[in-house]
């Protein structure tokens, strides 16, 4: 019997059904037969316990479901046909029929109880909001004029077609630039076109078709009514549209047909841009394409040939450099400030022709230092501009020769070439010459170098801070001959010297050179030369004859010039009586 109590207490409707049909003929299934054996067929037996299935249910408002309840006697047998009463703890949330059908009434939670002989079992019931099956939007189709507003409503119905009250809808527009909708369903027409307004509840949408049309045009005006422009200028009249109630409405998005009554004088584009072509008068009119009978008031355009009232030279700053051309330009303006195209008669003149010239196209060339004034005349309109005329700056100074070598006492002529920043050779610049060592060489204002002493110097030429340099090597004057005051010298041992003179090829005496002395018979006498190379000092050893060979030596100790031989006879020194 405990087995059947377990079966009877299960929440499965299938097993419960078996227990309730215990009197039905059941074939040979052992479990079902056992269930029938566990049934109490007397409905008047007192119930000791109750079971319900399911224990919890969730239904929407106006939705329903059944619960089942089974009574058991004290032995655990189900009681066939036992009367069981059903009640709801809150009928505002859910009600229950005598057969156990639970129906949702309002959103919330409650319990449904089954009772028999004082025994009770309960089911937890949750009632959720009713689910919409259909959403309807009203009006379903509507036409609104631009800026109009309209409130739409929505109704939700359940699967049985009953209206669901208190439902909140989510509103949306398929194109919010044409029409917007707020969450109260208020639609505002923003631009011409067609859109769909939708209301959503529980993922179910209801739609309405909305067409937005322009506000009808009652009148149209163009401004200004008259205007004067120069030929080739462009203007655009301003359009003002009014509705039939004389209210100004926007022209944005409105197509207009534009017409010029004299296209020889002026043409007009599809957007209302007027272009003048020649002097004359043209009337410009327009009309809305959607309301062709509404004609805009005319705008009269008078085109006139531009008259030059001002001429402006450019550039107006900077300087002119001698010999470097500079192009000037001129811009012309008419009486209303419009720019006049090139092609008008223009003349250029220089008020300072000795300082700068200008040709017929405005090309200015500086001639000399000073201030140049250039004037332009365009059909009586004049302008002038002044420029300081300066030299082109020096870029380099080059000396020729770049290096040289001369003999002491000779001169060397240098030439300086000055180049300006354009690469041109200029001859009008001041050049300052200098020597790195005036004790060895000097240079005059024309670049002529006079050498003084042997050695190396740098000759420089400066022009406008640019320097050119050349290296100059100064060599000693070579000795050509050595002249002795006597070539056959007879000396006694007490007189030990004789005079010599070193001379160059021109016969000029040279001092301070090195002279080598070779004695053919050193045992008789040897010699040396003093620092000025003017005296040969002999050292006599014994009486006899020797030949003294004299030869000048250069700075590299190499023989220089001709050798000189002096025969020296040494006699005994006189005796004292």
């Amino acid at each position: 019997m405990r087995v059947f109590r377990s079966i009877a207490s299960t929440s499965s409707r299938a097993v419960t059904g078996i227990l309730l049909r215990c009197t039905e003929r059941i074939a040979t299934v052992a479990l079902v037969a056992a269930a029938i054996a566990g049934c109490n067929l007397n409905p008047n037996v007192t119930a000791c316990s109750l079971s319900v299935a399911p224990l919890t249910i969730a239904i929407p408002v106006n939705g329903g479901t059944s619960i089942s309840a089974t009574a058991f006697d004290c032995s655990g047998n189900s009681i066939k046909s036992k009367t069981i009463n059903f009640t709801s703890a809150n009928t505002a949330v859910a009600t229950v029929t005598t057969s156990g059908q639970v129906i949702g009434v309002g959103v919330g939670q409650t319990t449904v109880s089954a009772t028999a002989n004082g025994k009770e079992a309960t089911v937890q019931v949750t009632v959720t909001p009713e689910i919409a099956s259909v959403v309807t939007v009203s009006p379903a189709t509507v036409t609104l004029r631009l800026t109009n507003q309209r409130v739409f409503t929505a109704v939700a119905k359940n699967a049985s077609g009953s209206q669901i009250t208190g439902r909140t809808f989510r509103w949306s527009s398929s194109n919010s630039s044409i029409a917007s909708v707020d969450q109260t369903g208020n639609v505002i027409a923003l631009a011409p076109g067609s859109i769909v307004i939708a209301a959503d509840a529980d993922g179910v949408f209801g739609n309405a078709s909305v067409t937005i049309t322009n506000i009808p045009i009652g009148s149209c005006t163009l401004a200004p009514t008259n205007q004067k422009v120069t030929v080739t200028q462009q203007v655009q009249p301003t359009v003002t549209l009014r509705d039939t109630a004389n209210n100004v409405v926007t022209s944005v998005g409105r197509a207009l047909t534009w017409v010029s009554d004299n296209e020889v004088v002026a043409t007009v584009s599809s957007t209302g841009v007027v272009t003048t072509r020649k002097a004359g008068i043209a009337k410009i009119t327009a009309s809305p394409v959607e309301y062709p009978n509404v004609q805009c008031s005319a705008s009269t355009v008078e085109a006139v040939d531009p008259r030059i009232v001002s001429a402006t030279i450019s550039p107006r700053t900077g300087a002119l450099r001698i010999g470097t051309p500079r192009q000037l330009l001129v811009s012309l303006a008419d009486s209303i400030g419009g720019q006049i195209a090139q092609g008008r008669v223009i003349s250029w003149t220089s008020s300072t022709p000795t300082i700068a010239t200008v040709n017929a196209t405005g090309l200015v060339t500086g001639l000399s230092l000073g201030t140049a004034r250039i004037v332009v005349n365009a059909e009586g309109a004049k302008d002038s501009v002044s420029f300081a005329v300066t030299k082109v700056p020096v870029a380099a100074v080059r000396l020729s020769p770049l290096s040289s070598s001369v003999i002491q006492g000779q001169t060397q002529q240098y030439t300086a070439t000055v180049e300006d920043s354009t690469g041109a050779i200029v001859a009008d610049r001041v050049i300052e010459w200098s020597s790195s060592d005036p004790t060895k060489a000097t240079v005059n204002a024309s670049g002529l170098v006079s050498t003084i002493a042997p050695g190396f110097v740098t000759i420089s030429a400066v022009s406008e801070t640019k320097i050119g340099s050349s290296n100059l090597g100064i060599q000693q004057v070579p000795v050509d001959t050595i002249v002795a005051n006597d070539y056959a010298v007879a000396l006694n041992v007490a007189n030990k010297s004789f005079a010599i003179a070193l001379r160059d090829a021109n016969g000029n005496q040279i001092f301070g050179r090195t002279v080598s002395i070779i004695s053919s018979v050193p045992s008789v006498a040897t010699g040396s030369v003093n620092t000025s190379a003017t005296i040969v000092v002999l050292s006599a050893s014994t009486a006899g004859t020797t030949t003294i060979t004299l030869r000048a030596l250069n700075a590299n100790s190499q023989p220089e010039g001709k050798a000189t031989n002096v025969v020296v006879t040494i006699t005994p020194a006189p005796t004292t009586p």
Side-chain angles (χ1 to χ4, degrees):
M1 296 302 291
R2 294 186 182 276
V3 172
F4 298 109
R5 178 179 297 175
S6 174
I7 295 174
S9 63
T10 181
S11 62
S12 170
R13 291 187 180 183
V15 177
T16 301
I18 293 173
L19 295 175
L20 293 176
R21 293 193 300 273
C22 61
T23 59
E24 295 177 3
R25 177 174 291 179
I26 303 175
T28 59
V29 180
L31 181 60
V32 176
I36 295 174
C39 288
N40 193 327
L41 303 179
N42 184 358
N44 296 320
V45 176
T46 300
C48 285
S49 64
L50 286 175
S51 69
V52 291
L55 294 177
T56 60
I57 60 173
I59 56 175
V61 173
N62 292 325
T65 189
S66 295
I67 61 175
S68 62
T70 304
F72 298 92
D73 61 19
C74 294
S75 297
N77 300 309
S78 61
I79 304 171
K80 174 67 175 178
S81 302
K82 183 66 175 179
T83 300
I84 299 175
N85 297 316
F86 295 95
T87 58
S88 171
N90 188 345
T91 56
V93 175
T95 61
V96 62
T97 66
T98 57
S99 63
Q101 179 75 16
V102 180
I103 300 173
V105 176
V107 176
Q109 291 184 329
T110 187
T111 59
V112 171
S113 301
T115 59
N117 299 129
K119 306 302 180 181
E120 183 180 67
T122 60
V123 175
Q124 295 294 324
V125 179
T126 300
V127 179
T128 58
E130 192 168 9
I131 298 175
S133 293
V134 176
V135 175
T136 304
V137 178
S138 297
T141 303
V142 71
T143 298
L144 298 177
R145 285 181 177 172
L146 198 63
T147 73
N148 285 173
Q149 300 185 33
R150 181 72 176 268
V151 177
F152 286 68
T153 60
V155 173
K157 295 182 180 181
N158 59 21
S160 62
S162 299
Q163 181 175 341
I164 302 172
T165 60
R167 181 51 51 90
T168 299
F169 298 93
R170 292 182 295 274
W171 293 89
S172 61
S173 168
S174 63
N175 190 335
S176 58
S177 65
I178 294 177
S180 64
V181 61
D182 63 20
Q183 293 309 303
T184 67
N186 186 46
V187 176
I188 301 176
L190 301 175
S194 297
I195 53 120
V196 172
I197 297 296
D200 166 29
D202 301 327
V204 178
F205 289 85
N207 298 326
S209 298
V210 181
T211 301
I212 312 298
T213 62
N214 266 319
I215 300 172
I217 302 302
S219 65
C220 171
T221 58
L222 299 181
T225 56
N226 294 281
Q227 54 185 323
K228 181 183 290 187
V229 297
T230 56
V231 172
T232 73
Q233 276 193 309
Q234 290 184 330
V235 293
Q236 184 164 19
T238 301
V239 180
T240 301
L241 301 177
R242 294 181 182 273
D243 60 18
T244 52
N246 203 35
N247 297 311
V248 175
V249 295
T250 181
S251 60
V252 176
R254 302 273 190 170
L256 298 175
T257 300
W258 293 86
V259 177
S260 168
D261 73 342
N262 189 347
E263 293 194 346
V264 175
V265 173
T267 59
V268 60
S269 71
S270 59
T271 59
V273 177
V274 180
T275 303
T276 56
R277 302 176 65 182
K278 67 174 297 184
I281 295 176
K283 288 186 177 182
I284 307 301
T285 57
S287 62
V289 172
E290 55 189 327
Y291 300 99
N293 293 329
V294 178
Q295 294 290 322
C296 301
S297 60
S299 175
T300 300
V301 176
E302 181 182 358
V304 297
D305 286 325
R307 180 176 62 84
I308 300 173
V309 298
S310 68
T312 304
I313 297 173
S314 64
R316 307 191 68 82
T317 59
L320 292 174
R321 289 177 174 170
I322 295 175
T324 302
R326 185 175 186 183
Q327 183 65 55
L328 300 183
L329 302 175
V330 61
S331 59
L332 308 177
D334 58 26
S335 58
I336 60 175
Q339 293 298 307
I340 297 176
Q342 299 297 319
R344 307 297 280 268
V345 177
I346 297 173
S347 63
W348 295 88
T349 56
S350 172
S351 299
T352 53
T354 60
I355 297 175
T357 61
V358 61
N359 67 9
T361 65
L363 187 66
V364 181
T365 302
L367 302 178
S368 61
L369 298 178
T371 300
R373 183 169 178 267
I374 306 300
V375 179
V376 68
N377 186 335
E379 299 177 9
K382 296 181 178 181
D383 188 28
S384 64
V385 65
S386 296
F387 298 103
V389 180
T390 63
K391 294 179 180 180
V392 179
V394 172
V397 177
R398 310 183 194 281
L399 293 191
S400 178
L402 288 177
S403 64
S404 61
S405 177
V406 297
I407 296 174
Q408 175 185 357
Q410 292 182 340
T411 61
Q412 173 68 54
Q413 179 65 55
Y414 281 90
T415 302
T417 301
V418 179
E419 295 180 4
D420 63 21
S421 57
T422 67
I425 296 175
V426 293
D428 60 344
R429 307 305 163 92
V430 175
I431 300 173
E432 296 181 358
W433 295 87
S434 64
S435 167
S436 63
D437 188 349
T439 63
K440 290 183 174 63
T442 60
V443 58
N444 67 11
S446 63
L448 181 64
V449 176
S450 299
T451 59
I452 299 172
F456 290 92
V457 295
T458 299
I459 304 301
S460 299
V462 180
S463 181
E464 296 180 9
T465 73
K466 302 301 179 181
I467 302 175
S469 300
S470 176
N471 294 321
L472 175 64
I474 304 172
Q475 302 176 7
Q476 290 180 331
V477 177
V479 175
D480 183 67
T481 58
I482 299 176
V483 179
N485 61 348
D486 193 345
Y487 293 96
V489 180
L491 301 173
N492 59 39
V493 293
N495 186 358
K496 300 179 181 179
S497 65
F498 61 90
I500 62 173
L502 279 62
R503 300 187 182 278
D504 61 18
N506 295 321
N508 299 314
Q509 186 173 355
I510 300 174
F511 299 92
R513 300 296 177 85
T514 301
V515 177
S516 69
I517 297 179
I518 300 175
S519 174
S520 63
V521 184
S523 60
V524 174
T526 60
S528 64
V529 179
N530 65 356
T531 56
S532 63
T534 57
I535 300 295
V536 175
V537 178
L538 297 175
S539 295
S541 299
T542 184
T545 300
T546 184
T547 299
I548 301 297
T549 301
L550 303 174
R551 188 77 178 269
L553 301 178
N554 63 17
N556 296 322
S557 297
Q558 296 172 334
E560 183 179 75
K562 306 178 183 68
T564 298
N565 295 319
V566 177
V567 177
V568 177
T569 301
I570 304 299
T571 60
T575 60
T576 302

